[in-house]
Amino acid sequence: MEGLLTKTAALFSSAAANPDHVLKWVLVYFGISSLGFMGVWLIGSTQNTERSGPS
């Protein structure tokens, strides 16, 4: 447990020293999350269209 706390403290310390690096990874995370959300939405949308048939 002590090792985990030490490693976490070191990560926070390095993040505070380089905020641009943190911002880059936050943007990457939200970008991937957005792509996943759009994929799930697109699959659901096509399934609803197939279920209801052509208009």
Side-chain angles (χ1 to χ4, degrees):
M1 185 68 179
E2 185 67 30
L4 180 63
L5 290 174
T6 303
K7 188 173 184 177
T8 304
L11 287 172
F12 280 133
S13 174
S14 67
N18 192 0
D20 290 338
H21 185 72
V22 175
L23 177 62
K24 179 185 85 169
W25 283 108
V26 167
L27 292 175
V28 167
Y29 171 77
F30 281 116
I32 291 171
S33 298
S34 297
L35 287 174
F37 175 78
M38 287 187 289
V40 168
W41 174 80
L42 185 61
I43 290 169
S45 177
T46 55
Q47 286 179 350
N48 284 340
T49 303
E50 290 172 357
R51 209 174 291 139
S52 63
S55 299

